[in-house]
Amino acid sequence: MSRRAARTKALQALFAIDLGRMVPERAVEEVLAEEQLSPQAAAFARDLVMGTVTARQELDAIISKYAVGWRLERLAAVDRNILRMALYEMKYYPDTPVSVIINEAIELAKTFNNEEAGKFVNGLLDSARKELGR
């Protein structure tokens, strides 16, 4: 459960960075201050945010390749950031089962957007996972 909470906090920080133009370090600290996470979960959330921000160009290229008929800027901001974060985790956390990463991303999309967003996220991540060798 702590990784789920960490992913939620990481998504909130990424959303603030993307839309609010916040500095990544500040965004992470603000969302982590809202809820007490274990030190391991907080470290995981920080790494997801900082890694996703650092790899953003690479992740956006993958999203653009598989979001057929959609421009990256036209995607809902929450979906765009869920996809970035999940792709980062798929690529840089090989020990985490890809099914867990995709399921967590789907749940985030359903929670913060809607059922259709969950289907979109599922389809895109499933296509991308093959390219990432997962």
Side-chain angles (χ1 to χ4, degrees):
M1 185 63 174
S2 64
R3 279 205 164 200
R4 175 169 284 187
R7 286 183 185 96
T8 299
K9 290 299 172 187
L11 175 61
Q12 291 169 340
L14 289 167
F15 188 82
I17 293 162
D18 193 22
L19 289 185
R21 308 287 187 230
M22 287 184 83
V23 175
E25 294 81 4
R26 181 172 173 225
V28 171
E29 294 313 315
E30 283 190 16
V31 299
L32 289 178
E34 296 170 359
E35 181 180 334
Q36 188 73 295
L37 295 178
S38 71
Q40 297 86 354
F44 179 60
R46 276 189 194 88
D47 183 65
L48 283 178
V49 172
M50 301 311 291
T52 299
V53 168
T54 300
R56 183 174 163 179
Q57 221 173 0
E58 170 190 10
L59 303 171
D60 285 354
I62 296 168
I63 295 168
S64 294
K65 180 177 180 178
Y66 292 104
V68 179
W70 288 90
R71 288 194 335 251
L72 189 66
E73 353 20 272
R74 298 284 313 216
L75 294 177
V78 69
D79 297 344
R80 183 172 56 237
N81 285 290
I82 290 168
L83 290 166
R84 287 172 177 157
M85 184 174 69
L87 288 168
Y88 174 79
E89 193 174 358
M90 286 170 120
K91 186 159 185 168
Y92 295 101
Y93 280 83
D95 292 340
T96 304
V98 72
S99 60
V100 170
I101 297 168
I102 292 174
N103 286 336
E104 291 289 323
I106 292 166
E107 290 306 313
L108 286 169
K110 288 179 183 178
T111 299
F112 290 101
N113 196 342
N114 61 38
E115 191 76 29
E116 289 303 310
K119 291 176 186 176
F120 175 75
V121 165
N122 182 30
L124 192 140
L125 292 176
D126 188 52
S127 296
R129 92 178 154 76
K130 296 167 189 153
E131 177 178 325
L132 296 174
R134 301 286 310 260

